[in-house]
Amino acid sequence: MLPFSLFLLLLAGSCGCFSSGSSQVAPFDLLYADGVRAYFAQDWPRASELLQRSLHSYSQLQEARRKCRSGCQREACFGSPSPFEPWETSFFDRVLQRAECLEECLGRRLGGQPSRYRASRVIQQDFDEREPYNYLQIAFFKLKKLEEAVSSAHTFFIANPQHLQMREDMEKYQRMAGVKSESFRDLEAQPHWVAYEAGMYHYGMDDYQQAAAKLEESLREGLLALENCRALCEGPREDEDNKEETQLGLYESIAAHYVQVLKCRQQCVLDIATKPGRVSSTEDFIPSHFDLLQFAYDRVGNRTVAAECAATFLLFYPSDEKMLERLKEYQADLGKEIAIPARENIRHYVQRSRMEKKLIYYAVQHLDETFKDPDLWTPKELIPESMKQKHKEDQEKRSLKASHMQQRDQSEPLPFEDIAISMDSHQLNGTQRVVFDRVLTESECKDILRLSMLEEPEMAIVADVPLILHMSDLKA
């Protein structure tokens, strides 16, 4: 069923005024609506074109917002107020300058009024969940563009691994002649996750030189992704249509919106720490890099950088006994006169995060706000006394959930190699059904058949070869 907001857009008529040659960035939600309309009309060339343009427009919009917010932050920064000017006048003077800068910058980059590019939450969620690729893979398949269809399907499936229909489609693509393995690529792959997984692979193989290089790349890309996420937090209030909003005064409204922005910025650390398609984030994503890097650099003999990583890790956990002991050893090796500084960009990151948390917790105490702290390293002194027990319980629940999800993810791959899919759910007239071939050797099949004959006919679990299994049996 179509989302209601998308349904309304479909009724609104075509946005044919946005030609591909125009310098103006077409609103991605209108392109998406036109693309979906063409999809249901089975106009595959137009559907594929519009859906691709909607993805490109969305990417352009996100990039424009990031660059404008970054540029305007420098151009209209909040410096020290003049002693001869009331703080309120000085503050709002900068606010107005920042707003003007953003409006002008976005209008210039997008070629139109920024307000035209505000989409509904439902449409935004579709793009967050890569829904356009779901439509695209069918359109490309109908156009006999198999490589593009496979890439689109894979891109959607990475973020939606529980989607049963796409799981079946992926099974079909894997069996098709002419489909190359390199076609199964994630078109929305996040650089920090690519580097992180490569780093962890090398780390597990005891190749610490390569592990350190990839983990450093993951850290750089992860921090960049974090800043990009934070830049997008300064949008409209999520509950701006709430009737209670009209009852708030100037300062209450400003406070409520600013706290929402701060909470969004804090949650960005979970966004970058959550791999697409996963429910839970990787715990302590940024701090854990320095734990891993410290060990990797130590193993390759670079004790100077290993010491730096240890000192940086202690910014998050200053009382960690094991890391304090390692830092003490490094200091003894390098000489007491040698300073071991933590990385300055991480020091700034921690200080900024602490200041934001302090403001949020103040709002929780005094302005009836709520907050789920995304970090395990948050100093206890920042947390109000009345919230410490709940904070502890929330962190324990999150750690337990993350542990369960990690165990599930590790158990999902099938313990077989070179298996072939002979029949899928559609052919077996059911859901989550699949027939695998080459799961067992011929002699193993004969043994199972022989054992099955020992039972009553209605109790036999194997009737023929290849062995037929239900997906739930494989996960058990």
Side-chain angles (χ1 to χ4, degrees), residues 244-436:
E244 293 182 3
E245 175 69 13
T246 58
Q247 300 174 8
L248 297 179
L250 172 64
Y251 293 104
E252 293 93 330
S253 296
I254 292 173
H257 197 168
Y258 185 60
V259 169
Q260 177 185 289
V261 170
L262 291 178
K263 289 195 287 187
C264 174
R265 289 172 177 172
Q266 285 284 303
Q267 290 300 312
C268 280
V269 73
L270 289 185
D271 289 348
I272 68 162
T274 305
K275 186 179 178 182
R278 298 285 174 86
V279 176
S280 297
S281 60
T282 299
E283 278 193 356
D284 269 347
F285 186 69
I286 292 176
S288 66
H289 273 72
F290 292 99
D291 189 18
L292 295 165
L293 284 168
Q294 175 271 321
F295 186 81
Y297 281 121
D298 185 271
R299 283 305 179 98
V300 298
N302 193 340
R303 295 177 72 79
T304 300
V305 182
E308 177 192 70
C309 292
T312 305
F313 180 84
L314 289 168
L315 292 175
F316 298 96
Y317 294 101
S319 59
D320 187 272
E321 293 182 3
K322 290 183 179 179
M323 199 62 78
L324 284 169
E325 187 62 32
R326 289 171 192 162
L327 187 61
K328 186 178 179 181
E329 293 172 4
Y330 292 136
Q331 189 71 75
D333 288 347
L334 298 172
K336 292 184 178 180
E337 70 283 358
I338 302 297
I340 303 178
R343 295 190 183 183
E344 196 57 38
N345 65 328
I346 302 301
R347 186 184 299 279
H348 170 73
Y349 165 81
V350 171
Q351 289 174 344
R352 181 182 66 183
S353 185
R354 288 177 61 133
M355 287 190 290
E356 290 176 351
K357 291 176 191 292
K358 186 175 181 179
L359 289 173
I360 294 171
Y361 279 121
Y362 181 90
V364 169
Q365 269 191 301
H366 303 287
L367 299 177
D368 200 29
E369 290 283 350
T370 60
F371 179 52
K372 283 190 176 181
D373 199 319
D375 295 308
L376 297 175
W377 58 265
T378 301
K380 291 182 180 179
E381 61 267 21
L382 286 181
I383 304 169
E385 198 64 39
S386 59
M387 291 187 61
K388 284 184 177 178
Q389 184 59 34
K390 186 177 185 305
H391 174 79
K392 181 181 178 182
E393 292 172 358
D394 288 343
Q395 299 291 41
E396 289 174 351
K397 287 179 183 177
R398 204 178 82 198
S399 296
L400 186 62
K401 181 180 178 182
S403 176
H404 287 166
M405 294 303 298
Q406 185 177 11
Q407 291 175 7
R408 190 200 73 175
D409 292 336
Q410 290 174 347
S411 64
E412 277 188 352
L414 296 174
F416 307 108
E417 295 181 0
D418 300 322
I419 65 172
I421 299 172
S422 301
M423 299 176 71
D424 58 26
S425 301
H426 179 71
Q427 293 165 305
L428 292 171
N429 192 30
T431 59
Q432 299 192 53
R433 297 176 181 176
V434 63
V435 176
F436 291 119

Side-chain angles (χ1 to χ4, degrees), residues 159-178:
N160 302 274
Q162 304 304 320
H163 195 283
L164 298 181
Q165 182 58 55
M166 188 58 76
R167 185 186 294 272
E168 292 182 10
D169 290 345
M170 292 296 291
E171 292 169 0
K172 293 173 185 175
Y173 286 132
Q174 289 167 356
R175 295 197 310 272
M176 284 183 183

Side-chain angles (χ1 to χ4, degrees), residues 33-221:
D34 273 1
V36 173
R37 183 187 298 106
Y39 173 91
F40 284 109
Q42 298 186 14
D43 185 350
W44 308 121
R46 181 166 171 76
S48 64
E49 178 199 352
L50 288 168
L51 289 167
Q52 287 181 91
R53 286 179 60 199
S54 73
L55 287 165
H56 183 60
S57 172
Y58 181 70
S59 177
Q60 286 181 296
L61 175 61
Q62 299 294 79
E63 183 68 11
R65 285 173 173 168
R66 285 192 291 262
K67 287 188 177 297
C68 286
R69 295 193 191 286
S70 176
C72 291
Q73 188 175 23
R74 294 190 300 270
E75 185 176 324
C77 62
F78 289 89
S80 300
S82 169
F84 306 105
E85 188 177 9
W87 73 267
E88 186 176 10
T89 305
S90 176
F91 173 75
F92 281 105
D93 177 57
R94 287 298 181 182
V95 169
L96 294 174
Q97 288 183 39
R98 180 78 63 88
E100 180 190 18
C101 177
L102 288 169
E103 191 80 6
E104 188 276 331
C105 178
L106 287 170
R108 184 178 69 253
R109 285 183 173 273
L110 299 174
Q113 283 294 323
S115 59
R116 296 175 61 243
Y117 299 90
R118 292 174 186 166
S120 70
R121 294 181 203 170
V122 176
I123 300 298
Q124 180 67 48
Q125 185 177 357
D126 270 8
F127 278 75
D128 290 342
E129 296 176 355
R130 306 185 180 184
E131 191 65 35
Y133 289 101
N134 194 6
Y135 293 110
L136 262 178
Q137 66 106 4
I138 297 294
F140 281 134
F141 182 79
K142 295 291 186 180
L143 293 169
K144 302 188 185 305
K145 295 182 177 181
L146 196 55
E147 183 176 349
E148 290 89 340
V150 173
S151 297
S152 297
H154 185 73
T155 301
F156 176 80
F157 189 61
I158 286 292
N160 302 274
Q162 304 304 320
H163 195 283
L164 298 181
Q165 182 58 55
M166 188 58 76
R167 185 186 294 272
E168 292 182 10
D169 290 345
M170 292 296 291
E171 292 169 0
K172 293 173 185 175
Y173 286 132
Q174 289 167 356
R175 295 197 310 272
M176 284 183 183
V179 175
K180 301 176 182 178
S181 59
E182 53 265 28
S183 296
F184 292 90
R185 64 183 187 276
D186 183 3
L187 301 175
E188 298 279 350
Q190 298 174 355
H192 69 283
W193 273 112
V194 175
Y196 180 77
E197 293 189 328
M200 294 305 294
Y201 170 79
H202 290 298
Y203 193 91
M205 299 297 290
D206 296 340
D207 183 359
Y208 295 110
Q209 191 75 47
Q210 283 297 316
K214 285 298 179 180
L215 287 170
E216 290 282 16
E217 181 184 346
S218 168
L219 184 62
R220 287 193 303 272
E221 293 291 347

